[in-house]
mmCIF file of all heavy atoms in Angstrom:
data_model
loop_
_atom_site.group_PDB
_atom_site.id
_atom_site.type_symbol
_atom_site.label_atom_id
_atom_site.label_comp_id
_atom_site.label_asym_id
_atom_site.label_seq_id
_atom_site.Cartn_x
_atom_site.Cartn_y
_atom_site.Cartn_z
ATOM 1 N N ALA A 1 31.425 5.581 -3.986
ATOM 2 C CA ALA A 1 30.696 4.738 -3.056
ATOM 3 C C ALA A 1 29.805 5.518 -2.149
ATOM 4 O O ALA A 1 28.696 5.306 -1.756
ATOM 5 C CB ALA A 1 31.694 3.986 -2.263
ATOM 6 N N GLY A 2 30.270 6.808 -1.822
ATOM 7 C CA GLY A 2 29.440 7.714 -0.882
ATOM 8 C C GLY A 2 28.266 8.227 -1.580
ATOM 9 O O GLY A 2 27.328 8.527 -0.955
ATOM 10 N N VAL A 3 28.330 8.302 -2.932
ATOM 11 C CA VAL A 3 27.177 8.968 -3.651
ATOM 12 C C VAL A 3 26.284 7.757 -4.050
ATOM 13 O O VAL A 3 25.091 7.919 -4.052
ATOM 14 C CB VAL A 3 27.667 9.746 -4.802
ATOM 15 C CG1 VAL A 3 26.493 10.168 -5.712
ATOM 16 C CG2 VAL A 3 28.380 10.948 -4.271
ATOM 17 N N ALA A 4 26.891 6.731 -4.603
ATOM 18 C CA ALA A 4 26.019 5.650 -5.202
ATOM 19 C C ALA A 4 25.209 4.904 -4.130
ATOM 20 O O ALA A 4 24.052 4.443 -4.471
ATOM 21 C CB ALA A 4 26.999 4.702 -5.853
ATOM 22 N N PHE A 5 25.726 4.570 -3.053
ATOM 23 C CA PHE A 5 25.081 3.849 -2.039
ATOM 24 C C PHE A 5 23.694 4.503 -1.554
ATOM 25 O O PHE A 5 22.582 3.954 -1.568
ATOM 26 C CB PHE A 5 25.828 3.514 -0.865
ATOM 27 C CG PHE A 5 25.239 2.636 0.198
ATOM 28 C CD1 PHE A 5 24.934 1.258 -0.177
ATOM 29 C CD2 PHE A 5 24.823 3.014 1.357
ATOM 30 C CE1 PHE A 5 24.338 0.386 0.769
ATOM 31 C CE2 PHE A 5 24.183 2.182 2.346
ATOM 32 C CZ PHE A 5 24.001 0.911 1.942
ATOM 33 N N PRO A 6 23.748 5.824 -1.170
ATOM 34 C CA PRO A 6 22.502 6.451 -0.856
ATOM 35 C C PRO A 6 21.587 6.597 -2.011
ATOM 36 O O PRO A 6 20.335 6.489 -1.834
ATOM 37 C CB PRO A 6 22.952 7.909 -0.352
ATOM 38 C CG PRO A 6 24.361 7.719 0.033
ATOM 39 C CD PRO A 6 25.007 6.685 -0.824
ATOM 40 N N ALA A 7 22.043 6.780 -3.284
ATOM 41 C CA ALA A 7 21.204 6.781 -4.428
ATOM 42 C C ALA A 7 20.517 5.521 -4.650
ATOM 43 O O ALA A 7 19.334 5.386 -4.963
ATOM 44 C CB ALA A 7 21.926 7.209 -5.654
ATOM 45 N N LEU A 8 21.171 4.387 -4.352
ATOM 46 C CA LEU A 8 20.629 3.004 -4.474
ATOM 47 C C LEU A 8 19.546 2.892 -3.457
ATOM 48 O O LEU A 8 18.475 2.258 -3.752
ATOM 49 C CB LEU A 8 21.724 2.043 -4.370
ATOM 50 C CG LEU A 8 21.192 0.547 -4.375
ATOM 51 C CD1 LEU A 8 20.710 0.277 -5.688
ATOM 52 C CD2 LEU A 8 22.432 -0.345 -4.025
ATOM 53 N N LEU A 9 19.790 3.234 -2.243
ATOM 54 C CA LEU A 9 18.852 3.065 -1.154
ATOM 55 C C LEU A 9 17.538 3.917 -1.538
ATOM 56 O O LEU A 9 16.391 3.440 -1.263
ATOM 57 C CB LEU A 9 19.300 3.578 0.175
ATOM 58 C CG LEU A 9 20.284 2.530 0.811
ATOM 59 C CD1 LEU A 9 20.933 3.188 2.166
ATOM 60 C CD2 LEU A 9 19.836 1.253 0.990
ATOM 61 N N LEU A 10 17.690 5.186 -1.937
ATOM 62 C CA LEU A 10 16.656 5.931 -2.416
ATOM 63 C C LEU A 10 15.816 5.383 -3.489
ATOM 64 O O LEU A 10 14.622 5.428 -3.464
ATOM 65 C CB LEU A 10 17.156 7.409 -2.811
ATOM 66 C CG LEU A 10 16.047 8.425 -3.114
ATOM 67 C CD1 LEU A 10 15.112 8.708 -1.900
ATOM 68 C CD2 LEU A 10 16.739 9.728 -3.622
ATOM 69 N N GLY A 11 16.487 4.829 -4.473
ATOM 70 C CA GLY A 11 15.734 4.110 -5.500
ATOM 71 C C GLY A 11 15.051 2.968 -5.090
ATOM 72 O O GLY A 11 13.911 2.753 -5.608
ATOM 73 N N LEU A 12 15.491 2.167 -4.201
ATOM 74 C CA LEU A 12 14.775 1.069 -3.731
ATOM 75 C C LEU A 12 13.559 1.367 -2.864
ATOM 76 O O LEU A 12 12.590 0.834 -2.950
ATOM 77 C CB LEU A 12 15.714 0.131 -2.851
ATOM 78 C CG LEU A 12 16.782 -0.624 -3.613
ATOM 79 C CD1 LEU A 12 17.776 -1.324 -2.695
ATOM 80 C CD2 LEU A 12 16.202 -1.600 -4.655
ATOM 81 N N ALA A 13 13.786 2.491 -2.113
ATOM 82 C CA ALA A 13 12.602 3.001 -1.396
ATOM 83 C C ALA A 13 11.487 3.471 -2.245
ATOM 84 O O ALA A 13 10.286 3.387 -1.882
ATOM 85 C CB ALA A 13 13.058 4.147 -0.414
ATOM 86 N N ALA A 14 11.792 4.060 -3.345
ATOM 87 C CA ALA A 14 10.797 4.543 -4.330
ATOM 88 C C ALA A 14 10.039 3.466 -4.983
ATOM 89 O O ALA A 14 8.938 3.557 -5.443
ATOM 90 C CB ALA A 14 11.424 5.386 -5.334
ATOM 91 N N CYS A 15 10.566 2.235 -4.967
ATOM 92 C CA CYS A 15 9.947 1.053 -5.556
ATOM 93 C C CYS A 15 9.023 0.377 -4.803
ATOM 94 O O CYS A 15 8.292 -0.584 -5.212
ATOM 95 C CB CYS A 15 11.008 0.012 -6.020
ATOM 96 S SG CYS A 15 11.997 0.768 -7.472
ATOM 97 N N SER A 16 8.968 0.800 -3.435
ATOM 98 C CA SER A 16 8.035 0.148 -2.541
ATOM 99 C C SER A 16 6.601 0.336 -2.914
ATOM 100 O O SER A 16 6.306 1.455 -3.419
ATOM 101 C CB SER A 16 8.331 0.477 -1.156
ATOM 102 O OG SER A 16 7.912 1.852 -0.904
ATOM 103 N N ASN A 17 5.765 -0.657 -2.656
ATOM 104 C CA ASN A 17 4.326 -0.530 -3.006
ATOM 105 C C ASN A 17 3.597 -0.216 -1.801
ATOM 106 O O ASN A 17 3.479 -1.083 -0.877
ATOM 107 C CB ASN A 17 3.871 -1.822 -3.572
ATOM 108 C CG ASN A 17 2.544 -1.773 -4.155
ATOM 109 O OD1 ASN A 17 1.953 -0.737 -4.103
ATOM 110 N ND2 ASN A 17 2.046 -2.875 -4.796
ATOM 111 N N SER A 18 2.918 0.932 -1.660
ATOM 112 C CA SER A 18 2.262 1.353 -0.492
ATOM 113 C C SER A 18 0.757 0.708 -0.559
ATOM 114 O O SER A 18 0.065 0.825 0.474
ATOM 115 C CB SER A 18 2.220 2.762 -0.302
ATOM 116 O OG SER A 18 1.649 3.373 -1.459
ATOM 117 N N GLU A 19 0.344 0.205 -1.723
ATOM 118 C CA GLU A 19 -1.066 -0.398 -1.847
ATOM 119 C C GLU A 19 -1.050 -1.735 -1.146
ATOM 120 O O GLU A 19 -0.150 -2.463 -1.370
ATOM 121 C CB GLU A 19 -1.509 -0.327 -3.204
ATOM 122 C CG GLU A 19 -1.631 1.037 -3.962
ATOM 123 C CD GLU A 19 -2.090 0.979 -5.390
ATOM 124 O OE1 GLU A 19 -2.663 -0.005 -5.666
ATOM 125 O OE2 GLU A 19 -1.860 2.044 -6.034
ATOM 126 N N PRO A 20 -2.146 -2.078 -0.531
ATOM 127 C CA PRO A 20 -2.266 -3.380 -0.001
ATOM 128 C C PRO A 20 -2.499 -4.413 -1.176
ATOM 129 O O PRO A 20 -3.064 -3.989 -2.233
ATOM 130 C CB PRO A 20 -3.517 -3.324 0.795
ATOM 131 C CG PRO A 20 -4.379 -2.200 0.381
ATOM 132 C CD PRO A 20 -3.275 -1.219 -0.163
ATOM 133 N N ASP A 21 -1.998 -5.549 -1.027
ATOM 134 C CA ASP A 21 -2.246 -6.572 -2.025
ATOM 135 C C ASP A 21 -3.667 -7.050 -2.018
ATOM 136 O O ASP A 21 -4.119 -7.701 -0.995
ATOM 137 C CB ASP A 21 -1.278 -7.785 -1.834
ATOM 138 C CG ASP A 21 0.213 -7.430 -2.167
ATOM 139 O OD1 ASP A 21 0.341 -6.586 -2.984
ATOM 140 O OD2 ASP A 21 1.085 -8.088 -1.551
ATOM 141 N N ILE A 22 -4.426 -6.734 -3.114
ATOM 142 C CA ILE A 22 -5.852 -7.150 -3.271
ATOM 143 C C ILE A 22 -5.803 -8.412 -4.097
ATOM 144 O O ILE A 22 -5.263 -8.298 -5.324
ATOM 145 C CB ILE A 22 -6.692 -5.992 -3.815
ATOM 146 C CG1 ILE A 22 -6.626 -4.773 -2.873
ATOM 147 C CG2 ILE A 22 -8.103 -6.450 -4.032
ATOM 148 C CD1 ILE A 22 -7.159 -3.512 -3.522
ATOM 149 N N PRO A 23 -6.384 -9.463 -3.740
ATOM 150 C CA PRO A 23 -6.367 -10.553 -4.612
ATOM 151 C C PRO A 23 -7.166 -10.365 -5.868
ATOM 152 O O PRO A 23 -8.170 -9.587 -5.888
ATOM 153 C CB PRO A 23 -7.150 -11.670 -3.752
ATOM 154 C CG PRO A 23 -7.814 -10.968 -2.698
ATOM 155 C CD PRO A 23 -7.052 -9.634 -2.517
ATOM 156 N N ASP A 24 -6.800 -10.875 -7.028
ATOM 157 C CA ASP A 24 -7.426 -10.614 -8.287
ATOM 158 C C ASP A 24 -8.737 -11.332 -8.398
ATOM 159 O O ASP A 24 -8.861 -12.498 -7.878
ATOM 160 C CB ASP A 24 -6.494 -11.198 -9.475
ATOM 161 C CG ASP A 24 -5.223 -10.353 -9.658
ATOM 162 O OD1 ASP A 24 -5.177 -9.240 -9.150
ATOM 163 O OD2 ASP A 24 -4.296 -10.893 -10.305
ATOM 164 N N THR A 25 -9.635 -10.594 -8.839
ATOM 165 C CA THR A 25 -10.958 -11.210 -9.121
ATOM 166 C C THR A 25 -10.889 -12.044 -10.476
ATOM 167 O O THR A 25 -10.182 -11.625 -11.273
ATOM 168 C CB THR A 25 -11.984 -10.035 -9.257
ATOM 169 O OG1 THR A 25 -11.883 -9.188 -8.238
ATOM 170 C CG2 THR A 25 -13.393 -10.487 -9.357
ATOM 171 N N PRO A 26 -11.507 -13.056 -10.418
ATOM 172 C CA PRO A 26 -11.686 -13.953 -11.688
ATOM 173 C C PRO A 26 -11.995 -13.184 -12.871
ATOM 174 O O PRO A 26 -12.981 -12.321 -12.775
ATOM 175 C CB PRO A 26 -12.651 -15.088 -11.380
ATOM 176 C CG PRO A 26 -12.601 -15.187 -9.796
ATOM 177 C CD PRO A 26 -12.376 -13.862 -9.427
ATOM 178 N N VAL A 27 -11.488 -13.422 -14.008
ATOM 179 C CA VAL A 27 -11.654 -12.600 -15.153
ATOM 180 C C VAL A 27 -13.062 -12.580 -15.724
ATOM 181 O O VAL A 27 -13.698 -11.557 -16.101
ATOM 182 C CB VAL A 27 -10.672 -12.948 -16.332
ATOM 183 C CG1 VAL A 27 -11.005 -14.319 -16.827
ATOM 184 C CG2 VAL A 27 -10.732 -11.938 -17.433
ATOM 185 N N ASP A 28 -13.717 -13.737 -15.541
ATOM 186 C CA ASP A 28 -15.237 -13.752 -16.033
ATOM 187 C C ASP A 28 -16.046 -12.953 -15.127
ATOM 188 O O ASP A 28 -17.045 -12.332 -15.661
ATOM 189 C CB ASP A 28 -15.672 -15.255 -16.156
ATOM 190 C CG ASP A 28 -15.498 -16.040 -14.894
ATOM 191 O OD1 ASP A 28 -14.641 -15.602 -14.011
ATOM 192 O OD2 ASP A 28 -16.312 -17.087 -14.772
ATOM 193 N N VAL A 29 -15.854 -12.932 -13.875
ATOM 194 C CA VAL A 29 -16.580 -12.126 -12.955
ATOM 195 C C VAL A 29 -16.477 -10.679 -13.127
ATOM 196 O O VAL A 29 -17.458 -9.858 -13.271
ATOM 197 C CB VAL A 29 -16.281 -12.476 -11.465
ATOM 198 C CG1 VAL A 29 -16.919 -11.543 -10.432
ATOM 199 C CG2 VAL A 29 -16.572 -13.943 -11.094
ATOM 200 N N LEU A 30 -15.226 -10.217 -13.366
ATOM 201 C CA LEU A 30 -15.001 -8.688 -13.761
ATOM 202 C C LEU A 30 -15.621 -8.417 -15.004
ATOM 203 O O LEU A 30 -16.313 -7.456 -15.049
ATOM 204 C CB LEU A 30 -13.394 -8.551 -13.850
ATOM 205 C CG LEU A 30 -12.616 -8.332 -12.640
ATOM 206 C CD1 LEU A 30 -11.202 -8.240 -13.013
ATOM 207 C CD2 LEU A 30 -12.999 -7.192 -11.870
ATOM 208 N N TYR A 31 -15.469 -9.150 -16.091
ATOM 209 C CA TYR A 31 -16.027 -8.895 -17.312
ATOM 210 C C TYR A 31 -17.599 -8.760 -17.345
ATOM 211 O O TYR A 31 -18.149 -7.860 -17.808
ATOM 212 C CB TYR A 31 -15.552 -9.998 -18.418
ATOM 213 C CG TYR A 31 -16.040 -9.422 -19.791
ATOM 214 C CD1 TYR A 31 -15.327 -8.639 -20.639
ATOM 215 C CD2 TYR A 31 -17.208 -9.954 -20.354
ATOM 216 C CE1 TYR A 31 -15.651 -8.240 -21.844
ATOM 217 C CE2 TYR A 31 -17.636 -9.490 -21.599
ATOM 218 C CZ TYR A 31 -16.877 -8.756 -22.369
ATOM 219 O OH TYR A 31 -17.213 -8.327 -23.623
ATOM 220 N N ASN A 32 -18.152 -9.804 -16.627
ATOM 221 C CA ASN A 32 -19.629 -9.751 -16.641
ATOM 222 C C ASN A 32 -20.157 -8.687 -15.682
ATOM 223 O O ASN A 32 -21.200 -8.127 -16.075
ATOM 224 C CB ASN A 32 -20.139 -11.191 -16.058
ATOM 225 C CG ASN A 32 -19.880 -12.198 -17.054
ATOM 226 O OD1 ASN A 32 -19.982 -12.037 -18.309
ATOM 227 N ND2 ASN A 32 -19.736 -13.529 -16.630
ATOM 228 N N ASP A 33 -19.423 -8.325 -14.634
ATOM 229 C CA ASP A 33 -19.778 -7.155 -13.929
ATOM 230 C C ASP A 33 -19.840 -5.836 -14.650
ATOM 231 O O ASP A 33 -20.711 -5.088 -14.755
ATOM 232 C CB ASP A 33 -18.992 -6.908 -12.700
ATOM 233 C CG ASP A 33 -19.229 -8.019 -11.605
ATOM 234 O OD1 ASP A 33 -20.264 -8.577 -11.678
ATOM 235 O OD2 ASP A 33 -18.446 -8.014 -10.585
ATOM 236 N N ALA A 34 -18.721 -5.614 -15.650
ATOM 237 C CA ALA A 34 -18.659 -4.514 -16.461
ATOM 238 C C ALA A 34 -19.759 -4.591 -17.484
ATOM 239 O O ALA A 34 -20.379 -3.504 -17.768
ATOM 240 C CB ALA A 34 -17.278 -4.575 -17.111
ATOM 241 N N LEU A 35 -20.081 -5.778 -18.009
ATOM 242 C CA LEU A 35 -21.206 -5.873 -19.039
ATOM 243 C C LEU A 35 -22.514 -5.536 -18.330
ATOM 244 O O LEU A 35 -23.291 -4.783 -19.008
ATOM 245 C CB LEU A 35 -21.151 -7.291 -19.658
ATOM 246 C CG LEU A 35 -21.937 -7.456 -20.882
ATOM 247 C CD1 LEU A 35 -21.400 -6.408 -22.016
ATOM 248 C CD2 LEU A 35 -21.827 -8.815 -21.392
ATOM 249 N N ASP A 36 -22.819 -6.007 -17.225
ATOM 250 C CA ASP A 36 -24.006 -5.733 -16.569
ATOM 251 C C ASP A 36 -24.145 -4.141 -16.299
ATOM 252 O O ASP A 36 -25.212 -3.644 -16.376
ATOM 253 C CB ASP A 36 -24.089 -6.458 -15.204
ATOM 254 C CG ASP A 36 -24.352 -7.939 -15.447
ATOM 255 O OD1 ASP A 36 -24.701 -8.359 -16.526
ATOM 256 O OD2 ASP A 36 -24.096 -8.782 -14.523
ATOM 257 N N THR A 37 -23.065 -3.542 -15.867
ATOM 258 C CA THR A 37 -22.988 -2.146 -15.678
ATOM 259 C C THR A 37 -23.360 -1.403 -16.890
ATOM 260 O O THR A 37 -24.136 -0.384 -16.928
ATOM 261 C CB THR A 37 -21.672 -1.652 -15.034
ATOM 262 O OG1 THR A 37 -21.379 -2.493 -13.796
ATOM 263 C CG2 THR A 37 -21.686 -0.232 -14.722
ATOM 264 N N LEU A 38 -22.868 -1.784 -17.998
ATOM 265 C CA LEU A 38 -23.024 -1.141 -19.246
ATOM 266 C C LEU A 38 -24.399 -1.354 -19.673
ATOM 267 O O LEU A 38 -25.085 -0.385 -20.118
ATOM 268 C CB LEU A 38 -22.090 -1.687 -20.254
ATOM 269 C CG LEU A 38 -22.234 -1.168 -21.712
ATOM 270 C CD1 LEU A 38 -21.908 0.243 -21.688
ATOM 271 C CD2 LEU A 38 -21.367 -1.909 -22.651
ATOM 272 N N ASN A 39 -24.958 -2.528 -19.511
ATOM 273 C CA ASN A 39 -26.421 -2.846 -19.870
ATOM 274 C C ASN A 39 -27.339 -2.093 -18.872
ATOM 275 O O ASN A 39 -28.437 -1.767 -19.304
ATOM 276 C CB ASN A 39 -26.703 -4.311 -19.872
ATOM 277 C CG ASN A 39 -26.108 -5.046 -21.031
ATOM 278 O OD1 ASN A 39 -25.803 -4.429 -22.016
ATOM 279 N ND2 ASN A 39 -25.679 -6.345 -20.837
ATOM 280 N N GLY A 40 -26.779 -1.718 -17.913
ATOM 281 C CA GLY A 40 -27.609 -0.960 -16.811
ATOM 282 C C GLY A 40 -27.650 0.536 -17.033
ATOM 283 O O GLY A 40 -28.365 1.242 -16.439
ATOM 284 N N GLY A 41 -26.961 0.957 -18.060
ATOM 285 C CA GLY A 41 -26.865 2.286 -18.486
ATOM 286 C C GLY A 41 -25.788 3.245 -17.944
ATOM 287 O O GLY A 41 -25.705 4.399 -18.220
ATOM 288 N N ASN A 42 -24.870 2.694 -17.239
ATOM 289 C CA ASN A 42 -23.845 3.471 -16.591
ATOM 290 C C ASN A 42 -22.490 3.120 -17.344
ATOM 291 O O ASN A 42 -21.624 2.400 -17.031
ATOM 292 C CB ASN A 42 -23.635 3.139 -15.102
ATOM 293 C CG ASN A 42 -22.600 4.017 -14.424
ATOM 294 O OD1 ASN A 42 -21.941 4.831 -15.072
ATOM 295 N ND2 ASN A 42 -22.521 3.950 -13.122
ATOM 296 N N ALA A 43 -22.409 3.832 -18.630
ATOM 297 C CA ALA A 43 -21.199 3.533 -19.395
ATOM 298 C C ALA A 43 -19.921 3.896 -18.920
ATOM 299 O O ALA A 43 -18.884 3.107 -19.140
ATOM 300 C CB ALA A 43 -21.535 4.124 -20.848
ATOM 301 N N ARG A 44 -19.831 5.073 -18.283
ATOM 302 C CA ARG A 44 -18.577 5.478 -17.727
ATOM 303 C C ARG A 44 -17.967 4.554 -16.622
ATOM 304 O O ARG A 44 -16.857 4.256 -16.769
ATOM 305 C CB ARG A 44 -18.678 6.895 -17.151
ATOM 306 C CG ARG A 44 -17.466 7.581 -16.780
ATOM 307 C CD ARG A 44 -17.543 8.984 -16.297
ATOM 308 N NE ARG A 44 -18.192 9.832 -17.346
ATOM 309 C CZ ARG A 44 -17.462 10.489 -18.326
ATOM 310 N NH1 ARG A 44 -16.161 10.232 -18.555
ATOM 311 N NH2 ARG A 44 -18.139 11.166 -19.168
ATOM 312 N N GLN A 45 -18.838 4.076 -15.795
ATOM 313 C CA GLN A 45 -18.347 3.144 -14.833
ATOM 314 C C GLN A 45 -18.007 1.817 -15.438
ATOM 315 O O GLN A 45 -17.107 1.046 -15.060
ATOM 316 C CB GLN A 45 -19.442 2.897 -13.662
ATOM 317 C CG GLN A 45 -19.063 1.916 -12.594
ATOM 318 C CD GLN A 45 -17.897 2.381 -11.792
ATOM 319 O OE1 GLN A 45 -17.652 3.538 -11.563
ATOM 320 N NE2 GLN A 45 -17.119 1.412 -11.329
ATOM 321 N N ALA A 46 -18.845 1.353 -16.511
ATOM 322 C CA ALA A 46 -18.470 0.238 -17.196
ATOM 323 C C ALA A 46 -17.192 0.217 -17.791
ATOM 324 O O ALA A 46 -16.254 -0.733 -17.831
ATOM 325 C CB ALA A 46 -19.553 -0.106 -18.240
#
């Protein structure tokens, strides 16, 4: 119990997400932006 409990707390702390929740962009908007970028000549960014 003395070893498992701190390990459990450490494991839960490692699972926390430090990135802010960004709302998902609609799939058609994302895809079309990528396609426009590719057609514009920037293949790496596309």
Side-chain angles (χ1 to χ4, degrees):
V3 172
F5 185 69
L8 177 66
L9 289 178
L10 182 62
L12 290 175
C15 293
S16 69
N17 187 2
S18 61
E19 294 181 22
D21 289 332
I22 299 171
D24 288 341
T25 307
V27 67
D28 57 335
V29 172
L30 277 174
Y31 186 86
N32 288 327
D33 286 346
L35 195 57
D36 290 342
T37 303
L38 180 62
N39 290 335
N42 191 351
R44 189 173 302 277
Q45 181 62 28

